[in-house]
Amino acid sequence: MALSVLCLALAWAQVAADVTIAVVGAVNVDITMQVNRLPRRHETLMASSPAVQLALGGKGANQAVAAARQGARVRFLGRFGNDSHGPWLQQVLIENGVDTSACEQSALPSGQGMVMLDADGGASSVVVPGANSDWGSLQPGVLQSMLQGAAVLLLQREIPEAVNVAAAKAAKVLGITVMQDVGGEDGPLSEELLGLVDFISPNENELHRLTGLPTATRSEVLAAARSLNCTVLVTLGERGALLITEAEVLDARAFQAQVVDATAAGDAFRAAFAVALSEGQSLQSGLRLASAAGAIAVSRRGAEPSLPRRHECEALLRTPPEVLPEKPASASLGFASRLNSMRERLDLWGGATDTLGLVARQGRVRGLGAVYFNFPQHLAGLSPSEVLAALAAANLKAGGIALRFPESMRLGAFTNPDANVRRQAVDLTIQGCAWADALGAEEVVVWPQFDGYDYQLQIDYTHAWSTTVASLREVLDSAPCRSKKVSYEFKPTDAVSRFSLVPSTGAALLLLQEVDRANLGLTLDVGHLLMAGENPAQSVAMVGAAGKLFGIHLNDGHSRLGAEDGLIFGSVHGRAALELVFWLQKTRYAGSIYFDTFPTNEDPVREAELNIRQFQKLAKVAQTSGRSIDPLLQQHDALGVLELMEAYGDVHIVKRCRGYLYAKFDSETAAQLVLRAARQKLAVAGRELSVEVATARKKHWHCQIDEAYPPRVRRLQDGVVLIQHMLSMAMQSRVVQEVFALGASPQGFYTPQFGDREMKLRTFCLGKHWDTQSHAYGALRSDIDHRAVLPLPPFLSALAQGVLSDLDQKCGVKMFPDLQPDTCIVNHYTSEGSLGLHADLDESECSLIAGVPVVSMSFGCSCRFLYGEDAVLLKSGDIFIFGGPARRLSHGVAKIFPNTTPKKLQEVLPAGRLNLTFRQS
């Protein structure tokens, strides 16, 4: 839904003391039991607490209470059960200040949420809908009465969708903002409901389910959210939240909190955001309040008991938020390579050949970022400080520790018949975790190469399995390993054990299920998967879907009679390699890419670099073609995929120029396929881009692509900031078209005069008009034609505020006082040459004293802009901001340079320069 509808609705909202939040949703009794861990199938566990806890629950009731505790007047429409819980639930709502007069009692018992809360604060629930499913025929009059006077309506997905649709329709008639929480029913939102809401609000996993797109990184979240074509508020746990509108993207950092119970954190977040909107706060302020509410909620046990009050949130708002690093993007993962491969072709290496010498040689591999050390072999006799120094000298970091059990364990490590040997294997693994901690690595890879057998009737399979499970549990529960990602690497056969105890991906997943520890995952090796007769991509899909893909080892081989060739990735099974990379992206893999290859005759440095390039090339093709492949997957269309791959050529960025990239395709067919499959968006080299018309260029085809050009912030002097490349070409085009459409109206452009001299520009005001005679702002153009001033479009004011918010985030400090723009002065310079210089006289003295900033946006021809005694070149898409003491500087356009409008913009701005200046009168 357009952001303008939201802003208009909020403008009509009453002041905070009078606003009302309406909530239509579910009310449950939450029955919470505490457990040390979740039970497995067919398993019975004792709870860790002697009794269950009862509390008000249900997303609708939680959000109603959360909004009331934030100071809003709340009306709730739900269904209470006919059991003893019904009156109690209603009383809890009333005691929290929630109006329940519109609610009815059902003939069914109350809805119930069975919550199992583990020791880490994670909650798993089963909801029995009960009365929440019994709405019958909802009368429109009930909804109209219940919604009367509300500013925001909160909806969730724990009641029938038909009820949500009816409520949203009634809200639209009354001009009420509608926020749809995606939590609840696990299914797609109907197009009808999507068309009625102003916000949809999923968490990261819900956004992934809604769109089928990866959401592991900020860029992936943005791409998924924008595919929904509406305003999206997505919560990202410890990474905060993002609000994605058609005009801007706003970030909310997470506050540091000890997670005790996350059951109602999302409800607290969304309710607080809705309250802020109803109070007329800015979107950014609303996100901050919501983040504080969510952080407090996760630190307390229970649903309704965890919901914070306003004064608690305001106290937390006075503390700085925690800044957490973003997960690495799947398109630009860190690369690592087998350290022992550096022992090959020593004729090409004149340095040392010990571990530290091998690290130095690996440092010569362009694009490599991490080293995995075999333990104990690589680290014997070394200290962590020596290793860290060598890594720093090679500009590398430790990626992880790879366990290599000694020959003394040939009868097995975790499966050895001797309990003392099994103890040694456990202790060695724990020592590996300690080394990983000392080197700053997060991963420990366990390859128990001796855990298998050569002959039938050689081992007791069930006993070997149980000792492996027990050993891994002991490792994972130890203090050094508890904070590490321990990754089990299976290999179906090896020279030291013809049959592995864990011979397949399925068996490995079964092992993980039985060990039942969150920090245990799998490392999949392509060569091992081929030896097992598996399709590597399918194995990645299975393990990734289970959330257990901790590592991937890439290589290739001819798979002849159990041989493990360790060849360059994609050199033999090219199509399989592409599919594997596609599924790494689809399952949102965010670990290292490790090349486990054996360049016995090749230069290992060049070989590693080729592996990196090969993966990057395949990742680019997989990203670019992914949107084309997905519908073919759904239809099991083998020929369609093969034809797509046949036509698809390499994609390369061949040229960058202002606001554009030019991508080269190997054939006309490939370019047209991309154009048909991704008319709105295309991913090239990890960037999400808008595709324009493909045009022939010699032997290749190029697509002109509009990219969000990376902005550059320049602080010119105290109170003066220039942001270059801030506005993408798509945004510039939209602004110019909308402003010119407004300017063509009777209240639009006119030619001003200064004394007897006619100015070399056209101008008009939005929001308020500056009267040159009375020297005051007003709603009429009293000194021109006495017409009413056109309103300032909400999307333009939001754009100006968003620029300042983005500036604060990029710089890490608040650069200027808050701007609440109520006026936009539109100037269209139609002539070149020198123009007038002026100082700001058309604002209130208090605004000048406060230093409230002016935001000036440039479109079209470049110009020389004067401010005080200095000058700067402004280009199309640049933003010039001056505030604080700089507000009193004389400033103005001195010269306009002809024929400098970007080519894409010439379609909507054929001549001259357009300037928008946002002010707070």
Side-chain angles (χ1 to χ4, degrees):
M1 188 63 65
L3 187 61
S4 58
V5 175
L6 164 67
C7 294
L8 287 173
L10 296 182
W12 297 332
Q14 298 173 339
V15 295
D18 298 324
V19 297
T20 299
I21 299 291
V23 184
V24 178
V27 54
N28 295 327
V29 54
D30 277 357
I31 304 170
T32 301
M33 58 204 80
Q34 297 178 39
V35 293
N36 290 324
R37 62 175 177 84
L38 298 179
R40 297 189 297 272
R41 190 181 183 190
H42 303 310
E43 183 181 28
T44 300
L45 289 181
M46 292 291 290
S48 59
S49 57
V52 298
Q53 296 175 327
L54 300 184
L56 175 81
K59 297 185 75 65
N62 287 340
Q63 291 179 17
V65 171
R69 290 184 181 177
Q70 292 299 319
R73 290 173 56 234
V74 181
R75 297 192 191 116
F76 176 69
L77 176 60
R79 292 292 184 264
F80 294 111
N82 65 352
D83 53 8
S84 60
H85 293 309
W88 173 70
L89 293 171
Q90 186 170 15
Q91 185 59 35
V92 174
L93 285 167
I94 293 172
E95 289 174 355
N96 279 278
V98 177
D99 179 356
T100 63
S101 59
C103 297
E104 295 181 4
Q105 187 181 70
S106 167
L108 296 176
S110 300
Q112 296 185 4
M114 315 294 185
V115 183
M116 285 182 289
L117 186 66
D118 66 24
D120 295 325
S124 295
S125 307
V126 175
V127 176
V128 181
N132 296 311
S133 64
D134 180 28
W135 286 77
S137 57
L138 192 62
Q139 299 301 317
V142 174
L143 286 170
Q144 294 282 349
S145 175
M146 183 262 182
L147 295 173
Q148 198 65 43
V152 180
L153 168 63
L154 291 172
L155 300 173
Q156 311 80 36
R157 304 193 71 198
E158 293 180 340
I159 59 176
E161 182 159 301
V163 178
N164 282 338
V165 170
K169 285 181 177 179
K172 289 293 97 180
V173 171
L174 297 172
I176 297 170
T177 298
V178 181
M179 179 185 294
Q180 174 70 61
D181 186 341
V182 176
E185 181 184 348
D186 185 11
L189 284 167
S190 70
E191 291 296 326
E192 182 180 18
L193 185 55
L194 270 175
L196 292 168
V197 301
D198 298 287
F199 291 90
I200 66 166
S201 186
N203 61 28
E204 180 179 348
N205 291 328
E206 290 161 353
L207 180 62
H208 172 59
R209 289 202 305 268
L210 270 180
T211 63
L213 297 174
T215 56
T217 67
R218 185 180 189 277
S219 60
E220 291 173 345
V221 168
L222 291 176
R226 284 170 174 151
S227 72
L228 294 171
N229 296 316
C230 61
T231 299
V232 179
L233 174 60
V234 55
T235 54
L236 304 171
E238 66 178 11
R239 290 190 289 147
L242 284 175
L243 177 64
I244 302 101
T245 76
E246 61 182 352
E248 61 186 338
V249 176
L250 299 178
D251 288 84
R253 298 289 188 185
F255 288 87
Q256 188 172 8
Q258 179 65 43
V259 178
V260 175
D261 182 355
T263 303
D267 297 327
F269 181 97
R270 291 168 179 85
F273 183 75
V275 171
L277 292 182
S278 70
E279 294 175 353
Q281 294 191 41
S282 68
L283 298 176
Q284 189 70 65
S285 297
L287 287 174
R288 288 273 289 156
L289 179 65
S291 297
I296 295 171
V298 299
S299 67
R300 299 170 176 172
R301 203 173 302 280
E304 173 265 324
S306 72
L307 302 171
R309 300 189 181 277
R310 184 64 168 264
H311 67 87
E312 296 176 295
C313 295
E314 290 175 345
L316 183 58
L317 284 171
R318 291 190 285 271
T319 66
E322 182 185 24
V323 178
L324 293 172
E326 187 176 340
K327 297 181 208 174
S330 57
S332 56
L333 300 165
F335 293 108
S337 187
R338 179 172 163 268
L339 186 60
N340 278 346
S341 68
M342 295 295 124
R343 298 187 187 278
E344 307 296 343
R345 294 297 306 272
L346 292 177
D347 57 306
L348 302 175
W349 170 245
T353 57
D354 60 359
T355 296
L356 302 186
L358 299 181
V359 170
R361 191 180 188 189
Q362 211 165 50
R364 295 192 171 192
V365 178
R366 287 171 294 186
L368 203 71
V371 178
Y372 280 68
F373 294 96
N374 290 352
F375 179 79
Q377 292 83 353
H378 283 154
L379 299 173
L382 294 173
S383 67
S385 59
E386 291 175 305
V387 178
L388 289 171
L391 288 169
N395 197 27
L396 297 169
K397 66 178 182 179
I401 296 295
L403 260 293
R404 294 294 183 268
F405 294 102
E407 287 287 324
S408 59
M409 297 182 182
R410 287 190 69 90
L411 288 182
F414 299 143
T415 63
N416 199 287
D418 187 338
N420 291 325
V421 176
R422 296 199 301 272
R423 160 55 51 197
Q424 293 170 20
V426 168
D427 290 343
L428 188 67
T429 309
I430 293 173
Q431 293 170 28
C433 291
W435 260 98
D437 192 63
L439 297 180
E442 295 298 321
E443 187 181 2
V444 175
V445 183
V446 178
W447 172 41
Q449 70 269 38
F450 301 120
D451 284 356
Y453 58 96
D454 296 326
Y455 298 95
Q456 281 74 30
L457 298 177
Q458 179 180 349
I459 69 169
D460 181 335
Y461 307 122
T462 56
H463 182 262
W465 185 270
S466 64
T467 59
T468 298
V469 170
S471 297
L472 285 171
R473 285 178 178 172
E474 188 173 354
V475 166
L476 294 158
D477 291 339
S478 69
C481 296
R482 197 178 300 137
S483 62
K484 300 301 171 190
K485 295 172 68 174
V486 178
S487 194
Y488 190 96
E489 180 185 358
F490 84 88
K491 184 179 181 181
T493 183
D494 191 80
V496 298
S497 54
R498 298 289 190 261
F499 290 92
S500 170
L501 180 70
V502 183
S504 66
T505 299
L509 285 171
L510 183 63
L511 176 66
L512 263 59
Q513 180 179 330
E514 189 145 344
V515 173
D516 193 25
R517 294 297 186 269
N519 58 328
L520 178 63
L522 293 180
T523 288
L524 298 180
D525 183 293
V526 170
H528 300 175
L529 296 172
L530 293 173
M531 292 169 67
E534 298 183 10
N535 175 10
Q538 183 180 3
S539 301
V540 165
M542 290 168 57
V543 180
K548 289 296 185 178
L549 186 58
F550 284 6
I552 186 75
H553 287 184
L554 300 183
N555 46 51
D556 211 336
H558 297 290
S559 304
R560 299 185 63 190
L561 222 57
E564 184 183 7
D565 298 325
L567 302 180
I568 290 170
F569 178 56
S571 58
V572 179
H573 299 88
R575 187 64 51 78
L578 174 61
E579 187 189 24
L580 184 147
V581 174
F582 171 81
W583 277 99
L584 284 175
Q585 295 175 355
K586 197 170 180 64
T587 56
R588 301 178 292 162
Y589 175 68
S592 294
I593 297 296
Y594 179 91
F595 298 105
D596 194 0
T597 53
F598 296 80
T600 53
N601 298 312
E602 294 78 32
D603 179 350
V605 173
R606 288 175 55 199
E607 189 259 5
E609 291 175 349
L610 180 57
N611 270 314
I612 293 172
R613 293 197 304 272
Q614 179 79 336
F615 181 88
Q616 290 172 331
K617 172 184 175 181
L618 292 170
K620 182 167 56 178
V621 173
Q623 268 196 325
T624 309
S625 62
R627 200 169 290 187
S628 309
I629 292 174
D630 276 328
L632 299 174
L633 291 179
Q634 303 307 317
Q635 299 299 320
H636 295 195
D637 188 350
L639 282 178
V641 170
L642 291 173
E643 288 167 351
L644 177 66
M645 291 297 100
E646 177 189 40
Y648 230 100
D650 292 340
V651 183
H652 308 281
I653 295 174
V654 295
K655 184 172 69 173
R656 288 179 171 84
C657 68
R658 184 165 183 74
Y660 301 90
L661 295 182
Y662 289 87
K664 180 176 68 178
F665 297 85
D666 281 351
S667 68
E668 173 183 350
T669 309
Q672 295 293 1
L673 270 171
V674 173
L675 211 58
R676 287 199 299 271
R679 187 162 294 278
Q680 299 303 318
K681 296 291 179 186
L682 167 68
V684 176
R687 297 173 176 82
E688 183 190 273
L689 310 164
S690 298
V691 181
E692 301 297 338
V693 180
T695 54
R697 292 286 188 274
K698 298 182 181 178
K699 295 181 181 180
H700 300 287
W701 277 67
H702 292 70
C703 280
Q704 186 170 292
I705 300 172
D706 178 7
E707 182 191 35
Y709 213 79
R712 175 189 178 202
V713 176
R714 295 175 57 195
R715 187 173 180 271
L716 302 178
Q717 62 173 258
D718 190 18
V720 181
V721 170
L722 169 63
I723 312 178
Q724 296 174 309
H725 322 308
M726 184 64 182
L727 301 178
S728 71
M729 209 56 61
M731 178 59 72
Q732 291 182 55
S733 180
R734 179 190 170 185
V735 171
V736 171
Q737 290 182 71
E738 295 208 15
V739 168
F740 275 8
L742 293 169
S745 70
Q747 301 106 303
F749 282 117
Y750 66 93
T751 302
Q753 288 188 320
F754 185 76
D756 296 331
R757 182 166 60 90
E758 190 175 88
M759 302 290 285
K760 296 179 181 179
L761 58 85
R762 301 187 302 156
T763 187
F764 73 100
C765 292
L766 296 168
K768 293 182 180 180
H769 174 76
W770 173 252
D771 189 316
T772 57
Q773 298 175 0
S774 64
H775 298 281
Y777 283 103
L780 297 176
R781 308 200 314 184
S782 52
D783 60 338
I784 305 297
D785 51 19
H786 296 281
R787 296 182 187 273
V789 182
L790 292 169
L792 176 59
F795 119 82
L796 287 178
S797 60
L799 182 60
Q801 289 177 304
V803 165
L804 292 171
S805 174
D806 289 347
L807 176 65
D808 292 344
Q809 277 200 348
K810 187 172 182 65
C811 297
V813 295
K814 191 168 185 62
M815 299 291 287
F816 295 103
D818 288 333
L819 170 68
Q820 301 294 333
D822 55 14
T823 302
C824 176
I825 300 174
V826 180
N827 289 329
H828 180 210
Y829 298 91
T830 55
S831 300
E832 295 104 28
S834 298
L835 303 173
L837 183 66
H838 68 281
D840 263 343
L841 300 173
D842 53 344
E843 299 202 29
S844 64
E845 185 67 17
C846 62
S847 175
L848 290 170
I849 293 173
V852 177
V854 167
V855 176
S856 179
M857 301 181 183
S858 298
F859 306 88
C861 288
S862 303
C863 78
R864 185 168 181 262
F865 188 83
L866 303 177
Y867 58 99
E869 298 179 355
D870 297 310
V872 68
L873 178 68
L874 297 181
K875 297 182 179 181
S876 190
D878 290 350
I879 293 179
F880 189 82
I881 306 172
F882 52 101
R887 283 303 318 280
R888 297 182 182 275
L889 286 176
S890 296
H891 61 272
V893 175
K895 184 176 181 179
I896 294 177
F897 300 97
N899 304 318
T900 53
T901 298
K903 185 176 180 180
K904 173 65 181 293
L905 208 59
Q906 291 175 12
E907 301 172 11
V908 293
L909 183 57
R913 177 179 185 274
L914 184 68
N915 177 257
L916 272 60
T917 303
F918 295 88
R919 305 173 183 273
Q920 179 176 320
S921 61

